[in-house]
Amino acid sequence: MAIKNIIIAVTIFVFMSCTQQQSGFTPGEIWKDDKGVHINAHGGGVLFHNNVYYWYGEHKIEGKAGNKAEVGVHCYSSTNLTDWKDEGIALEVIKNDTLHDITAGCVLERPKVIYNAKTDKFVMWFHLELKGQGYKAARSGVAISDKATGPYTFVKSFRPNAGMWPINVQDLHKAPIAPEVKNEYCGGKGCLPAHPDSINLLGRDFEGGQMARDQNLFVDDDGKAYHIYSSEENSTLHISQLSDDFLSESGNFIRIFSERYMEAPALFKRNGMYYLIASDCTGWAPNAARSAWAPNIFGPWTELDNPCVGEEAELTFRSQSTYVIPVQGKKDAFIYMGDRWMPENAIDGRYIWLPIEFEEDKPIIKWMEKWDMSVFDE
Ligand code: GAL
């Protein structure tokens, strides 16, 4: 009898350990999915749909080469934001057509998914760099699916807002472009010889469409969706309203924070105010985060301080923003979602998720070794 009891106890213990749910967040540690594998969804974003959270991100592979898209966009699902089920690859890169926009080996970064109630479709936007062209293409990609988890079908890639002027365009942008400016190519990720307006990058790219690299999506309470992207050689952010089906830009957009080189933008809304968390422009290396707010999505936007405080705040706790998650069912509960990139072994990238506090309505992020949802009850 005693032996039988011991066997039962051991069986229960083993079962419990195997199915053990993660009870909270441990930023920077290995984060295992339901199969026991470190989550592979970098530069990601989260969609909440029908009581389920979906996390989409870049699927990386081992080594330095793993920064390129060899697989596609990985999707996970969860009901509590801590335990994630592997839902597989939502958007696969194309393996049998080297000329395809999203052919394997392209750069496909910062995928985000939103749901369009009118069309009943899930729409994914991502930053695309064509294979073999470094970061020169600076395009936006769009894919669509009937199901949150995919499979997503590639629709198109392009440079946004071709032939459109932003709401806050200045006369100087409309002036004829000198040929040497028109042909100017600024390599790398954000080094310009002068202020972006003095070489009129907006005007330079008017016809062909604006450059779009680090990007995010935001859906407002009224159902309108916005695309925010680092443009004009990363010098300037654009916030651009999407068309009703979320598949294109509407042509209604603004430029903000010109010459601030903001990357990794994440928009959210709290008590009617719009907030932005972003980073500086230093590639995979971490830097100090930026924050800003506005009473209206189209401005005026005011820059606030580095939202991070405490040790390593100047490095965003060795992370870079990728999304801000509004926690459902809790008031004023937002999670900063960041990446601790590991460029030498991309698949080992870690996730830094931290609660956002508000002091005088301004966002504050503090390091926490371990935390759980109860922080939002305090
Ligand atoms: C970062 C950017 C990442 C990736 C990286 C490549 O600045 O936020 O998404 O593009 O540069 O160097």
Side-chain angles (χ1 to χ4, degrees):
M1 189 64 181
I3 289 180
K4 198 176 160 198
N5 283 347
I6 290 169
I7 292 172
I8 292 171
V10 168
T11 311
I12 291 174
F13 176 77
V14 169
F15 178 76
M16 299 270 295
S17 333
C18 291
T19 57
Q20 202 178 24
Q21 301 278 294
Q22 200 161 331
S23 58
F25 303 91
T26 49
E29 299 298 315
I30 289 288
W31 193 345
K32 290 185 178 168
D33 65 11
D34 62 320
K35 293 176 179 156
V37 178
H38 180 48
I39 292 173
N40 199 340
H42 310 266
V46 170
L47 164 74
F48 184 74
H49 185 75
N50 285 347
N51 297 317
V52 178
Y53 294 97
Y54 296 91
W55 176 357
Y56 304 86
E58 303 158 30
H59 179 104
K60 305 273 197 188
I61 59 167
E62 300 223 336
K64 231 176 170 167
N67 297 304
K68 299 266 168 60
E70 300 294 350
V71 177
V73 176
H74 208 133
C75 175
Y76 296 82
S77 64
S78 173
T79 50
N80 61 8
L81 288 171
T82 53
D83 302 287
W84 291 92
K85 177 172 179 267
D86 182 2
E87 298 283 2
I89 303 303
L91 172 69
E92 281 186 43
V93 294
I94 308 295
K95 304 239 165 77
N96 56 6
D97 178 1
T98 51
L99 295 177
H100 197 285
D101 283 9
I102 60 162
T103 193
C106 66
V107 169
L108 195 165
E109 293 181 336
R110 299 186 177 272
K112 304 288 178 297
V113 172
I114 51 180
Y115 172 70
N116 188 304
K118 286 189 197 130
T119 59
D120 193 24
K121 301 277 183 204
F122 296 85
V123 180
M124 180 188 290
W125 283 65
F126 49 89
H127 164 206
L128 177 69
E129 298 293 347
L130 302 174
K131 186 176 180 177
Q133 296 188 19
Y135 276 80
K136 194 165 154 248
R139 294 167 84 88
S140 294
V142 180
I144 194 167
S145 177
D146 292 330
K147 274 177 63 197
T149 51
Y152 285 76
T153 308
F154 176 76
V155 179
K156 59 184 170 183
S157 89
F158 58 101
R159 279 195 172 186
N161 290 312
M164 308 301 296
W165 290 116
I167 293 164
N168 53 353
V169 65
Q170 294 165 261
D171 287 345
L172 64 93
H173 296 123
K174 294 188 174 174
I177 315 279
E180 65 274 18
V181 172
K182 202 164 184 177
N183 296 329
E184 184 169 4
Y185 169 61
C186 304
K189 294 196 73 199
C191 51
L192 289 174
H195 188 283
D197 281 340
S198 69
I199 50 174
N200 192 5
L201 297 173
L202 186 81
R204 181 195 70 180
D205 293 338
F206 176 75
E207 273 169 39
Q210 300 297 326
M211 300 177 81
R213 289 199 183 113
D214 280 13
Q215 61 118 48
N216 220 319
L217 298 176
F218 170 75
V219 183
D220 209 339
D221 308 325
D222 59 5
K224 288 188 180 135
Y226 297 85
H227 182 207
I228 181 166
Y229 53 90
S230 300
S231 195
E232 303 178 41
E233 307 287 352
N234 300 329
S235 66
T236 305
L237 285 173
H238 291 181
I239 300 180
S240 179
Q241 192 187 324
L242 296 186
S243 56
D244 285 350
D245 60 8
F246 296 176
L247 295 175
S248 309
E249 310 283 356
S250 68
N252 212 9
F253 73 113
I254 52 157
R255 310 165 75 220
I256 59 168
F257 301 123
S258 193
E259 215 199 358
R260 287 292 286 142
Y261 288 90
M262 292 201 191
E263 285 201 313
L267 287 170
F268 64 103
K269 191 178 187 181
R270 171 184 172 269
N271 294 341
M273 279 300 268
Y274 296 83
Y275 289 82
L276 168 72
I277 304 279
S279 75
D280 196 354
C281 183
T282 55
W284 302 119
N287 52 54
R290 313 280 180 77
S291 69
W293 62 2
N296 186 305
I297 191 141
F298 281 153
W301 280 92
T302 308
E303 191 169 347
L304 303 170
D305 294 331
N306 176 353
C308 301
V309 293
E311 212 179 310
E312 292 198 310
E314 74 290 351
L315 292 180
T316 317
F317 315 112
R318 284 182 286 136
S319 75
Q320 186 183 26
S321 44
T322 185
Y323 198 74
V324 170
I325 308 168
V327 179
Q328 302 299 315
K330 294 201 189 244
K331 196 176 164 344
D332 264 0
F334 296 90
I335 297 175
Y336 160 84
M337 183 174 170
D339 294 282
R340 184 174 287 171
W341 303 111
M342 300 283 185
E344 298 305 314
N345 187 20
I347 195 172
D348 193 32
R350 305 300 171 88
Y351 308 103
I352 307 297
W353 289 24
L354 292 165
I356 302 181
E357 295 172 33
F358 293 88
E359 283 175 17
E360 293 175 349
D361 290 323
K362 294 173 183 150
I364 301 286
I365 307 171
K366 294 177 187 156
W367 174 254
M368 289 187 190
E369 205 75 30
K370 188 168 170 55
W371 65 281
D372 60 43
M373 289 292 183
S374 66
V375 298
F376 296 119
D377 301 334
E378 285 155 15

